[in-house]
Amino acid sequence: MALVLSSAVLSFPAHAQYTGPSEIARITVAAILKNPVDDQDVRIQGHLLRQSAHDKFVFSDGTGEIVAAIKAKHFAGQNLDEKTKVELIGEVDTSLKRAPEIAVDFLKIVELGNSFDTPPFC
């Protein structure tokens, strides 16, 4: 039994994440929408209001709304809803055919909403 458990634990990939200081300054959605710069690194905090497509979510920080493209792997098994405050780190993605979006590279839960009693993976 111990052998089965140890091999199961060792088979999960490690997901180390850097949590120290960052040179990427925090910005607002309003500032991004006012002057979108393609491939600009951004760090924003707010809420994912709703899912609009498979990997697209409407994000708001209280200053405006923007679409955030988030791949499933960036959720890393974390459960969250529209009340959960998150931090997104990624790049601005501009196009002539649509409004600017955020291509998310990293998602972190900042504060759990009221719908969860305890954070996942405690």
Side-chain angles (χ1 to χ4, degrees):
M1 181 70 160
L3 181 60
V4 171
L5 287 175
S6 65
S7 63
V9 169
L10 294 175
S11 67
F12 289 109
H15 288 104
Q17 298 174 359
Y18 179 74
T19 59
S22 172
E23 292 185 8
I24 302 170
R26 192 168 295 144
I27 192 168
T28 65
V29 171
I32 294 168
L33 295 175
K34 182 177 179 182
N35 184 28
V37 177
D38 196 42
D39 295 329
Q40 174 188 5
D41 291 328
V42 294
R43 181 169 57 123
I44 53 179
Q45 286 190 0
H47 299 86
L48 297 174
L49 302 179
R50 62 190 171 277
Q51 187 170 8
S52 59
H54 173 68
D55 63 348
K56 307 268 180 150
F57 298 83
V58 177
F59 174 87
S60 176
D61 64 355
T63 68
E65 294 182 1
I66 193 167
V67 171
I70 310 171
K71 295 179 181 174
K73 69 180 181 181
H74 295 305
F75 286 97
Q78 301 175 97
N79 294 317
L80 53 104
D81 62 17
E82 72 282 356
K83 297 174 189 157
T84 307
K85 187 173 184 178
V86 296
E87 179 173 76
L88 306 178
I89 298 175
E91 301 88 31
V92 175
D93 184 21
T94 61
S95 170
L96 297 175
K97 298 179 183 181
R98 61 164 167 69
E101 297 181 353
I102 303 297
V104 175
D105 296 320
F106 178 76
L107 178 147
K108 176 176 88 171
I109 292 178
V110 176
E111 180 181 303
L112 291 174
N114 295 331
S115 63
F116 297 105
D117 294 328
T118 58
F121 306 113
C122 286

